[in-house]
Amino acid sequence: MKKAGGKTALKRSKEGDEEQNQIFNFNRKPADEDKDDDLSDSEDSVYSGLEDSGSDSEEEEGSDDDEEEGSDDDDDKMKEKKEGEVSEEKKKDEYEHDSSDEEDIRNTVGNIPMEWYKDFPHIGYNLDGKKIYKPIRNKDELDDFLDKMENAEYWRTVHDKQTGSDIVLSDDQVELVNRLQRGQFGDVNFNEYEPMVEFFSSDVMIHPVTNRPADKRSFIPSLTEKEKVSKLVHAIKMGWIKPRRVEDDGRGRYYDLWASEDSSILARHRMHLPAPKIPLPGHHESYNPPPEYLFTDEERALWEQQDPADRKLPFVPRKYSSLRQVPAFSHFIHERFERCLDLYLCPRQRKMRVNVNPEDLIPQLPKPKDLQPFPTTRSLVYRGHSGLVRSISVSPSGQWLASGSDDGSVRFWEVCSSRCMKTVQVGGAVKSVAWNPNPSVCLLAVALDSVVLILSPSLADKQVILSSERLLSAQQEGEEPAEGNGSVVWSEAEGEELNQGLRLKIQHPKAVHQVVWHAKGDYLASVMPDNTSHLQVYIHQLSRRRSQNPFSRNKGLVQCVSFHPIRPYFFVATQRSIRIYNLVKQEMTKKLQTNSKWISSMAVHPGGDHVICGSYDCKLSWFDLDLSTKPYKMLRHHKKAVRGVAYHRLYPLFASASDDGSVIVCHGTVYNDLLQNPLIVPVKVLRGHVMTHDLGVLDVTFHPTQPWVFSSGADATICLFT
Amino acid sequence: GALLQTNNFSSLIFRRLCILKGIYPHEPKHKKKVNKGSTAPRTFYLLKDIRFLLHEPIVGKFREYKIFVRKLKKAYGKTEWSAVERVRENKPTYKLDHIIKERYPTFIDALRDIDDALCMCFLFSTFARTGKCHVQTIQLCRRLTVEWMNYVIASRSLRKVFLSIKGIYYQAEVMGQLITWVVPYQFSHDHPVDVDYRVMATFTELYTTLLGFVSFRLYSSLNLVYPPKLDSNGESEPKEESEDDYAMNSESYLEKLSALSASLARVVSSADEEEAQPDQFPSEGEDMEKMEAREKELKQQEAQKKLFEGLKFYLNREVPRESLAFVIRCFGGQVSWDKSVCIGSTYDVTDETITHQIIDRPSVGKQYINRYYIQPQWLYDCVNAKILLPVEDYFLGVTLPPHLSPFVEEKEGDYVPPEKLKMMALQRGEKPGVDEEEEEEEGEQEEEEEQEEDDNGDEEDDEEEVAEEKNLKKMEEQRSQGKSLHVKVTPGKLKVENKARLEQEEKAEEKRLAIMMMKKKEKYLYDKIMFGKKRKVREANKLAAKRKAHDDSEKAKKKKARK
């Protein structure tokens, strides 16, 4: 407290000095009196700043001392106090004697801007409270100038604003001003470079610095200190303050951690998945890679376009001619950081990577060699048609081959020599031909437009020809053809047509797409696919020239039909399923789901227990009628629509013809005991047809006795594979 | 069961714990089920793992640390300096020893996982000592990496070195484990802003502890003193001239260690350290062969360890000193450098016994006759080739041959750069001339082409069939023509049937037919495998084609130059 008082006093004295300074300064710059205040202000601020810093340091010292007081011995403190007091006393004395400044104060307005009194006649008040009047000034500029010119004392004349009078400075005062302006001490005698005497040094002096007797309080224990100590003791007791820790460099001290390797933690450890290591760099990453690993311009452009995640390499390979030219890799820290993230944020999973040998995946099938015989090579080509050959059929003896083509002709070929024996112009694109399976007759059914023709090609023994003629004429002799059905008209060929071998014409109401014979050779089924009516299938009896529509209602578009080779069943393939009807009981016995979009063809195994059916969506489904109504096997061997399928009568072979120009022959063993599933092995892919108009092979059929297969294609040829 | 991240402790502490304890998230089997029906990407941890984390005593330490920070802040805020000091004195510390022991129950486990630790420490040791992390961490990392390098030198376990554009990869074989680490080139880093240095620092904290313990164990396994001390009575004593005014004693010691020029002190004197001959076990049949192969490999390794023995290197100031010194010393060479580059140089440029001077500038002023002036790549290539390569390709100012990665092991069907083939030939002891090489290359290419042919077998068959058909057509045409025009019988040619070829074709067809009968699933897998294989072949072919184009253009250029 006392100190603070002292300080204010000190300050005040300094302020006084400043005032003086101000006064002197006016003297120096008489020309700009108006700005005086500002100037003085600024100067004031400079000085005060200096003072402040000085006082700050004092304060700090003081505070430091305070702390020392708090913690350290009493002697110092006492000294300090004495010192303070002494200096204080001194200061007081000074004020008593040296009060010249205060004496001179006649104006009591204080330190205010004097322009406040500008408009008054007085300039302030004296100690008694009387007004101090401004001196009568009638000096104008001219007077001032004259004064400046004439008065020798003008340069040392200063205008006192408080009294409004001019003061002429003495020599001493001028000297003082000069010194201060030079930044020197005001006192001439003051030696600023006096050697410093350290009173409070580390040396212990024999004499005290001050002669002040010790205070009483220095002999009695301090209560505040006691309070502090007791607080600390309490804190230590309570464990709030802990003893200073022993400094240990635990970070850098290592020992043999694995001296005793115990297996206790291993249980947990077993579940742990170690992080995969970073893949090792390849040639790409070298600072001087082989030239083939550098990017070409396109590769570089591609790399730049790609998303960073899609890039194969996370960097662009570069080549530097020497090691000193290699710069820092800008993504080094990034990569380490990403690795860190991977280590602690990526889920880990043990992936059982099965190293599959692709060879093992290939199923073990009996070798095709062991499954011989089957057709392997194209041995004969039958040429002569000029349009695509839609349908072929082999005579039951296996000697003749009939083919129907879009050029409106039916041709008969000798199988062994590939000679065309006979050509019958039927006058329309032939959709289907079928040779009567009965070996004792020689008849061919041909479907074109809306007619089914029965031809007798007379390519057999006399006897056979005769018996077939007899079959055709049997009805004629008996009774007139029944006209009950109305829509189907039977008529006999005459004249020229008869010479060509045409015997019968069966006129249908709509376009016929397929004709099929019953195994006995007396019945004949024709298909007229049409959604609009129920008349889609007709069954004709040749011997009695009768036709009947077996179904009063048809579900869906009938694609093809087939007779069961042994039993009185009838297979009808609609667009997506195959229905099996019992002709005797006149009911449906089964419905097979083919799982394909559009059935194209169907063939029944000569045993009658299996059906294959090809579809336009490249599939071939094999049905085992005893097993289920779902396909036993789906074969997706073809790349394009399957057009025709066929079973061999004797050998366990079946073939499928497709638009991709290939015929695939498969070996499908059907075992006699029901426990064993049929084994299907593709044995040969036969190619021989040229693709024309996106069509390849249109029909396929087997030779009745030999393991040969015929195929007719869109390139107007027929091939024989043996 | 899997569980979402709990909020028992703050995510920051949780993350640190995960890093330290090696806990990683799990991918649940039924993501939707666990995530309450939503399929948003979330991280799942095993409940068991989180419980395991909660039991960790270090959690308490982390909390203490949090409290410490709070107290310190409070003291600062109140400007109670004595309190600040007191709080700071009681800063809680923790050790990670038990975590290391728990994560790596055996020493080998720790060794297996040390790759990342080494990479990280080497990276941190190159950081500038300002900003990104504590100076102590950097110093510790530096110390540990120096110790590690010294160990590798002492045990001579370095195997491969690779100069990549990212940094220098080293691979050492320590106790049967292959350890790979990468050291960045000596440049100051420009620190990316999108990297969380706290994560990196936590990892480093763990890794320094791990590396320290591993070093200790490794040093003791070699009977070396840990912390490493320089061998005082070794003959390769570093010069002691300007040592006193170099730096503080403690600092200069690490510097000297990191100079990598002196050998280390051993607990037991090295005199009785004899190479123990492996006992010969009687073995029969194929075991013998295996044993022989192993022995051969061992011998080769021994030879590689002494690759640079007897050679005296001098490093010019522009080459990466630390890396080269490390590599040379690892293979028994002597190395020195300019005094002003680094402490610890053992001889001067003027030494007449220097055999190789490593230099990486286009020309040099004064050359000594009795030494090779070679570029640094020679050393690295020699290490990877395991033999001393001919120095001619690496002379001053010569265009260097490509530097290949030693980590690539080409399997059958992969593309092998011709330089590698050359090197393999050198390893076998052959000395191929230029022509031979080219032939070899061509042979290689032919082989590749053959392979291609095999791959394209299917198509070829088709082609053949087509050709056959054409023939047939022609014959038929001829026949028809013959009928009308003139009858001419040409003598039939005996068609030589290649039996092997036929058999092959037959087999190929058999395979194709069998593939047709594959089940859908297997077919898919098979197709995928085959696709991968084909892609590999395609890539190899692409590289080969690129190389060929490059070589051709080079040749053309040469010819032009000659003309």
Side-chain angles (χ1 to χ4, degrees):
Chain A
M1 285 286 112
K2 276 177 192 169
K3 259 189 189 168
K7 228 180 278 165
T8 49
L10 217 150
K11 240 183 188 169
R12 207 180 296 143
S13 73
K14 274 180 185 164
E15 272 170 13
D17 281 352
E18 276 163 36
E19 274 176 7
Q20 261 191 348
N21 287 347
Q22 278 177 15
I23 294 162
F24 295 145
N25 275 340
F26 301 152
N27 183 22
R28 226 185 77 218
K29 294 178 183 171
D32 36 20
E33 273 185 357
D34 297 15
K35 289 181 181 176
D36 269 353
D37 284 358
D38 296 355
L39 222 157
S40 73
D41 268 352
S42 72
E43 268 188 338
D44 197 327
S45 70
V46 170
Y47 278 110
S48 66
L50 276 174
E51 266 176 15
D52 277 352
S53 69
S55 68
D56 273 355
S57 66
E58 254 185 8
E59 266 179 354
E60 267 194 2
E61 276 173 301
S63 65
D64 281 358
D65 289 352
D66 279 343
E67 281 214 344
E68 274 177 55
E69 261 176 58
S71 57
D72 290 332
D73 40 350
D74 291 0
D75 285 19
D76 264 329
K77 184 177 86 185
M78 284 193 16
K79 274 182 201 170
E80 275 290 314
K81 279 184 178 168
K82 271 180 195 167
E83 243 287 312
E85 274 163 30
V86 167
S87 63
E88 233 168 74
E89 276 170 38
K90 262 186 191 168
K91 273 172 192 167
K92 269 178 189 168
D93 286 348
E94 270 177 10
Y95 288 132
E96 270 168 31
H97 297 293
D98 185 29
S99 59
S100 58
D101 286 338
E102 260 95 59
E103 255 179 80
D104 279 348
I105 293 177
R106 276 172 291 168
N107 197 343
T108 55
V109 288
N111 190 13
I112 56 157
M114 291 315 286
E115 63 258 29
W116 289 355
Y117 284 90
K118 206 166 57 185
D119 299 333
F120 295 100
H122 61 278
I123 201 166
Y125 305 89
N126 63 7
L127 289 169
D128 303 326
K130 298 275 168 55
K131 284 175 180 171
I132 306 174
Y133 289 95
K134 285 179 185 168
I136 305 151
R137 288 191 59 138
N138 40 12
K139 272 184 184 175
D140 52 4
E141 299 264 313
L142 195 63
D143 288 331
D144 212 26
F145 178 70
L146 285 175
D147 206 21
K148 198 173 173 181
M149 289 287 108
E150 287 165 5
N151 194 356
E153 298 290 288
Y154 180 80
W155 64 273
R156 55 166 70 183
T157 313
V158 167
H159 179 76
D160 186 357
K161 263 199 267 180
Q162 274 200 319
T163 54
S165 58
D166 289 347
I167 302 165
V168 178
L169 298 182
S170 65
D171 281 350
D172 285 348
Q173 281 168 325
V174 169
E175 177 64 15
L176 182 64
V177 168
N178 284 338
R179 286 181 68 79
L180 286 175
Q181 275 186 333
R182 267 180 266 138
Q184 291 171 329
F185 280 92
D187 190 358
V188 187
N189 299 322
F190 182 75
N191 182 10
E192 48 196 305
Y193 302 114
E194 232 173 343
M196 194 172 86
V197 180
E198 284 194 47
F199 289 102
F200 307 105
S201 64
S202 57
D203 310 326
V204 179
M205 293 187 280
I206 30 170
H207 301 295
V209 179
T210 60
N211 205 9
R212 195 165 182 254
D215 276 326
K216 183 190 173 186
R217 63 171 178 266
S218 62
F219 296 103
I220 38 175
S222 159
L223 277 176
T224 50
E225 273 174 17
K226 190 187 168 190
E227 204 175 344
K228 275 183 184 171
V229 168
S230 69
K231 258 186 188 172
L232 287 175
V233 166
H234 182 65
I236 290 170
K237 265 187 192 167
M238 297 303 284
W240 297 334
I241 295 178
K242 287 194 186 79
R244 199 169 289 177
R245 254 182 333 103
V246 187
E247 197 66 36
D248 64 335
D249 50 345
R251 288 168 67 87
R253 191 180 292 162
Y254 305 109
Y255 52 91
D256 195 355
L257 189 69
W258 295 279
S260 59
E261 293 187 347
D262 53 346
S263 55
S264 58
I265 324 164
L266 281 176
R268 183 185 163 70
H269 200 72
R270 217 172 292 132
M271 291 304 293
H272 180 78
L273 302 178
K277 293 196 172 184
I278 293 181
L280 291 170
H283 299 316
H284 288 281
E285 217 181 299
S286 168
Y287 86 101
N288 183 14
E292 62 267 34
Y293 288 98
L294 293 173
F295 277 172
T296 58
D297 290 342
E298 302 109 63
E299 278 172 327
R300 204 193 157 95
L302 181 74
W303 187 89
E304 269 158 13
Q305 273 179 10
Q306 270 173 336
D307 191 65
D310 294 339
R311 286 175 186 162
K312 225 172 204 182
L313 287 176
F315 54 88
V316 183
R318 297 287 305 271
K319 193 179 181 91
Y320 300 98
S321 59
S322 63
L323 188 57
R324 70 170 187 280
Q325 289 169 336
V326 183
F329 185 63
S330 56
H331 273 263
F332 197 90
I333 296 177
H334 255 293
E335 283 194 355
R336 291 313 323 161
F337 179 61
E338 262 153 39
R339 170 70 178 168
C340 288
L341 291 187
D342 283 351
L343 283 177
Y344 90 104
L345 283 181
C346 273
R348 292 183 202 166
Q349 238 168 8
R350 197 161 290 186
K351 277 254 163 76
M352 296 308 281
R353 198 188 178 87
V354 195
N355 224 340
V356 182
N357 184 5
E359 302 301 319
D360 296 347
L361 288 174
I362 299 171
Q364 284 300 320
L365 296 171
K367 280 193 175 176
K369 235 186 213 170
D370 308 337
L371 300 174
Q372 272 169 348
F374 53 83
T376 50
T377 52
R378 191 175 69 160
S379 48
L380 285 177
V381 183
Y382 304 83
R383 284 170 208 281
H385 280 295
S386 55
L388 30 118
V389 185
R390 285 220 185 261
S391 176
I392 48 174
S393 181
V394 191
S395 72
S397 59
Q399 199 183 353
W400 309 104
L401 172 71
S403 65
S405 160
D406 269 10
D407 60 2
S409 66
V410 175
R411 282 173 185 256
F412 296 90
W413 315 80
E414 193 180 17
V415 167
C416 302
S417 61
S418 81
R419 274 185 64 182
C420 179
M421 298 301 289
K422 203 172 180 183
T423 309
V424 180
Q425 293 296 338
V426 290
V430 179
K431 289 273 159 32
S432 172
V433 292
W435 212 293
N436 193 322
N438 189 355
S440 62
V441 292
C442 178
L443 290 173
L444 184 77
V446 178
L448 70 146
D449 295 339
S450 58
V451 193
V452 173
L453 305 175
I454 308 293
L455 295 178
S456 171
S458 59
L459 291 169
D461 297 343
K462 271 254 166 70
Q463 284 234 312
V464 174
I465 293 167
L466 276 178
S467 69
S468 50
E469 293 294 335
R470 206 179 305 134
L471 179 69
L472 288 176
S473 55
Q475 166 67 23
Q476 222 171 9
E477 288 159 9
E479 54 199 79
E480 279 296 298
E483 298 291 326
N485 280 329
S487 51
V488 179
V489 183
W490 291 68
S491 59
E492 285 198 34
E494 288 151 351
E496 182 58 26
E497 285 178 338
L498 201 66
N499 283 349
Q500 281 195 331
L502 237 158
R503 290 290 177 271
L504 279 176
K505 275 185 182 175
I506 308 167
Q507 188 70 40
H508 285 68
K510 278 171 287 183
V512 183
H513 271 233
Q514 195 205 8
V515 281
V516 195
W517 287 99
H518 184 252
K520 291 268 166 56
D522 193 19
Y523 288 95
L524 172 73
S526 59
V527 181
M528 299 167 287
D530 186 6
N531 248 345
T532 50
S533 79
H534 305 309
L535 286 172
Q536 293 200 69
V537 181
Y538 270 111
I539 294 178
H540 314 283
Q541 193 179 13
L542 204 59
S543 54
R544 302 172 73 182
R545 297 201 183 177
R546 228 172 51 181
S547 303
Q548 64 174 31
N549 176 18
F551 309 112
S552 57
R553 272 179 63 195
N554 269 339
K555 279 166 190 154
L557 198 63
V558 177
Q559 297 298 312
C560 50
V561 295
S562 178
F563 287 100
H564 192 281
I566 306 157
R567 278 187 248 165
Y569 288 133
F570 191 58
F571 296 82
V572 178
T574 53
Q575 200 172 321
R576 311 193 65 159
S577 58
I578 298 170
R579 291 188 172 78
I580 304 169
Y581 296 95
N582 190 335
L583 290 174
V584 175
K585 290 183 185 167
Q586 307 235 327
E587 62 181 14
M588 194 177 85
T589 50
K590 227 169 224 173
K591 187 183 171 193
L592 306 178
Q593 299 290 343
T594 57
N595 291 346
S596 50
K597 299 244 167 67
W598 199 304
I599 293 168
S600 66
S601 53
M602 168 176 64
V604 184
H605 190 262
D609 285 339
H610 303 272
V611 176
I612 50 174
C613 115
S615 67
Y616 289 115
D617 52 351
C618 320
K619 285 182 203 161
L620 177 82
S621 26
W622 170 294
F623 293 94
D624 190 332
L625 296 185
D626 298 334
L627 273 178
S628 85
T629 59
K630 298 266 162 57
Y632 163 68
K633 206 135 204 181
M634 297 285 281
L635 305 175
R636 290 174 197 81
H637 296 167
H638 286 289
K639 304 236 159 49
K640 283 187 175 170
V642 178
R643 288 272 170 183
V645 289
Y647 266 115
H648 198 283
R649 253 175 57 193
L650 305 175
Y651 295 102
L653 294 173
F654 65 90
S656 58
S658 157
D659 269 350
D660 58 2
S662 68
V663 174
I664 294 179
V665 180
C666 296
H667 185 99
T669 325
V670 178
Y671 298 95
N672 279 334
D673 57 338
L674 294 171
L675 292 175
Q676 214 158 359
N677 289 330
L679 175 72
I680 295 166
V681 184
V683 287
K684 190 72 190 170
V685 181
L686 299 166
R687 281 168 215 279
H689 289 281
V690 183
M691 301 276 291
T692 34
H693 308 301
D694 273 349
L695 293 173
V697 189
L698 296 177
D699 197 8
V700 66
T701 182
F702 275 100
H703 192 274
T705 49
Q706 298 294 324
W708 300 344
V709 68
F710 299 90
S711 68
S712 68
D715 55 346
T717 61
I718 302 159
C719 294
L720 167 64
F721 299 93
T722 53
Chain B
L3 186 103
L4 206 69
Q5 181 174 320
T6 55
N7 288 323
N8 263 1
F9 23 59
S10 75
S11 70
L12 218 68
I13 287 186
F14 178 74
R15 277 187 190 184
R16 287 189 72 185
L17 267 177
C18 282
I19 292 170
L20 295 177
K21 299 280 282 180
I23 300 297
Y24 44 85
H26 273 256
E27 195 71 21
K29 266 182 191 158
H30 306 288
K31 207 163 183 184
K32 215 170 169 187
K33 210 166 161 190
V34 179
N35 211 354
K36 286 166 193 154
S38 106
T39 48
R42 288 179 102 163
T43 339
F44 297 97
Y45 289 89
L46 286 186
L47 202 61
K48 173 184 78 173
D49 280 346
I50 289 179
R51 228 174 278 134
F52 173 66
L53 282 186
L54 281 173
H55 284 297
E56 176 58 39
I58 220 161
V59 174
K61 294 280 186 186
F62 283 155
R63 290 199 174 125
E64 261 176 43
Y65 193 83
K66 228 166 71 182
I67 294 163
F68 156 76
V69 170
R70 213 161 51 210
K71 273 185 185 166
L72 199 66
K73 260 188 200 159
K74 196 170 165 190
Y76 262 113
K78 288 186 171 177
T79 61
E80 288 175 346
W81 307 117
S82 58
V84 166
E85 209 165 292
R86 198 188 65 230
V87 169
R88 201 172 259 163
E89 255 168 25
N90 283 320
K91 181 180 174 179
T93 57
Y94 54 88
K95 282 183 167 186
L96 302 172
D97 304 7
H98 64 284
I99 291 183
I100 299 281
K101 177 84 203 229
E102 186 190 77
R103 282 185 69 170
Y104 307 108
T106 62
F107 178 58
I108 291 299
D109 290 329
L111 258 188
R112 258 182 221 145
D113 223 12
I114 208 147
D115 285 22
D116 287 314
L118 278 172
C119 290
M120 201 63 140
C121 285
F122 270 103
L123 172 64
F124 264 68
S125 67
T126 60
F127 278 177
R129 300 188 177 192
T130 45
K132 294 300 170 192
C133 58
H134 291 296
V135 178
Q136 288 96 323
T137 317
I138 296 170
Q139 277 170 345
L140 185 66
C141 282
R142 176 72 189 152
R143 195 192 115 192
L144 288 169
T145 53
V146 166
E147 282 170 7
W148 172 261
M149 285 200 283
N150 271 308
Y151 166 76
V152 173
I153 290 173
S155 63
R156 297 227 174 150
S157 47
L158 192 68
R159 291 286 170 271
K160 288 168 181 173
V161 196
F162 178 48
L163 299 170
S164 87
I165 51 173
K166 293 181 185 173
I168 305 178
Y169 285 86
Y170 299 94
Q171 188 172 62
E173 191 179 356
V174 179
M175 301 199 164
Q177 300 292 325
L178 281 177
I179 293 162
T180 318
W181 70 97
V182 54
V183 183
Y185 288 115
Q186 286 283 347
F187 292 103
S188 59
H189 302 274
D190 49 340
H191 290 278
V193 279
D194 50 346
V195 162
D196 190 354
Y197 277 89
R198 281 177 306 183
V199 171
M200 300 254 279
T202 314
F203 268 104
T204 312
E205 198 176 21
L206 177 79
Y207 285 153
T208 48
T209 321
L210 171 66
L211 195 55
F213 283 119
V214 167
S215 299
F216 185 93
R217 177 85 176 211
L218 288 174
Y219 270 75
S220 57
S221 75
L222 277 190
N223 282 331
L224 293 167
V225 183
Y226 190 90
K229 282 204 177 66
L230 295 175
D231 199 359
S232 51
N233 50 13
E235 70 254 65
S236 55
E237 183 85 4
K239 280 184 201 169
E240 308 247 344
E241 300 168 25
S242 56
E243 212 171 274
D244 298 330
D245 50 41
Y246 183 69
M248 267 165 63
N249 217 11
S250 59
E251 277 181 19
S252 79
Y253 196 74
L254 184 64
E255 296 273 337
K256 264 189 266 173
L257 254 182
S258 60
L260 305 171
S261 65
S263 50
L264 302 177
R266 285 173 188 267
V267 177
V268 190
S269 63
S270 57
D272 52 354
E273 189 205 7
E274 273 287 304
E275 280 294 318
Q277 282 288 327
D279 292 342
Q280 297 281 347
F281 292 104
S283 50
E284 315 120 24
E286 47 185 317
D287 272 359
M288 272 293 271
E289 278 175 24
K290 262 188 208 167
M291 284 281 283
E292 269 170 25
R294 240 184 82 80
E295 226 163 80
K296 204 176 161 191
E297 205 172 283
L298 270 180
K299 229 179 224 172
Q300 204 183 3
Q301 228 173 56
E302 279 311 305
Q304 196 201 358
K305 278 183 191 172
K306 291 172 182 160
L307 190 63
F308 295 147
E309 219 142 82
L311 300 183
K312 236 174 157 180
F313 293 91
Y314 187 83
L315 307 180
N316 249 33
R317 55 170 64 248
E318 70 272 7
V319 296
R321 189 203 65 80
E322 192 175 278
S323 164
L324 282 169
F326 174 57
V327 171
I328 292 169
R329 295 264 299 136
C330 272
F331 296 98
Q334 273 177 291
V335 62
S336 179
W337 46 82
D338 197 279
K339 276 203 295 282
S340 56
V341 172
C342 183
I343 199 171
S345 68
T346 43
Y347 44 84
D348 276 337
V349 210
T350 50
D351 196 332
E352 292 290 323
T353 53
I354 291 172
T355 57
H356 295 77
Q357 183 161 348
I358 315 292
I359 192 163
D360 196 7
R361 53 174 83 172
S363 63
V364 73
K366 191 193 174 190
Q367 290 202 8
Y368 292 82
I369 314 166
N370 56 350
R371 67 178 74 157
Y372 295 120
Y373 286 85
I374 46 172
Q375 302 194 38
Q377 195 191 318
W378 179 76
L379 279 167
Y380 299 105
D381 281 351
C382 282
V383 168
N384 293 337
K386 299 178 184 161
I387 45 166
L388 288 179
L389 293 169
V391 287
E392 290 82 20
D393 299 342
Y394 299 89
F395 275 155
L396 201 62
V398 168
T399 311
L400 288 168
H403 180 63
L404 297 173
S405 166
F407 303 114
V408 180
E409 272 164 21
E410 278 92 358
K411 276 174 254 152
E412 245 185 74
D414 287 354
Y415 172 73
V416 188
E419 285 82 10
K420 180 128 188 176
L421 293 171
K422 217 190 282 180
M423 197 190 76
M424 269 146 61
L426 275 174
Q427 276 174 337
R428 269 181 264 125
E430 294 166 23
K431 248 205 157 153
V434 183
D435 296 359
E436 263 182 3
E437 273 166 38
E438 276 180 11
E439 269 179 21
E440 215 174 31
E441 272 172 43
E442 275 165 27
E444 173 72 15
Q445 276 165 2
E446 272 171 20
E447 273 176 28
E448 270 166 24
E449 273 163 29
E450 268 180 22
Q451 278 178 349
E452 263 176 80
E453 274 174 29
D454 286 1
D455 287 316
N456 302 340
D458 309 4
E459 290 160 35
E460 220 166 272
D461 284 1
D462 297 351
E463 280 169 25
E464 252 165 49
E465 271 168 46
V466 168
E468 231 169 85
E469 203 179 15
K470 270 184 190 164
N471 272 347
L472 276 172
K473 239 185 206 171
K474 226 183 251 172
M475 276 164 67
E476 223 150 354
E477 274 172 15
Q478 275 176 359
R479 213 184 289 160
S480 55
Q481 278 174 357
K483 265 180 200 167
S484 58
L485 295 169
H486 53 271
V487 180
K488 191 184 169 190
V489 180
T490 45
K493 271 181 195 166
L494 196 71
K495 203 177 171 188
V496 186
E497 288 209 335
N498 192 349
K499 248 189 182 174
R501 175 99 195 170
L502 268 178
E503 208 165 284
Q504 224 175 11
E505 270 174 30
E506 207 168 278
K507 262 195 186 151
E509 189 175 5
E510 233 173 75
K511 199 172 153 189
R512 245 176 303 136
L513 291 172
I515 287 167
M516 287 200 314
M517 280 310 286
M518 265 188 192
K519 277 174 198 154
K520 213 172 174 182
K521 216 170 167 186
E522 285 177 348
K523 183 89 192 294
Y524 174 72
L525 187 61
Y526 181 82
D527 282 348
K528 234 167 110 180
I529 293 173
M530 294 319 270
F531 177 76
K533 277 189 172 174
K534 282 214 175 117
R535 193 183 48 196
K536 237 182 191 174
V537 171
R538 218 183 312 132
E539 267 164 20
N541 288 344
K542 196 176 157 196
L543 281 178
K546 249 167 126 183
R547 176 69 180 211
K548 202 165 171 241
H550 179 265
D551 284 354
D552 287 351
S553 68
E554 287 287 294
K555 258 185 204 167
K557 257 185 217 167
K558 253 186 208 169
K559 266 185 191 169
K560 245 183 205 172
R562 245 182 248 163
K563 273 173 192 171

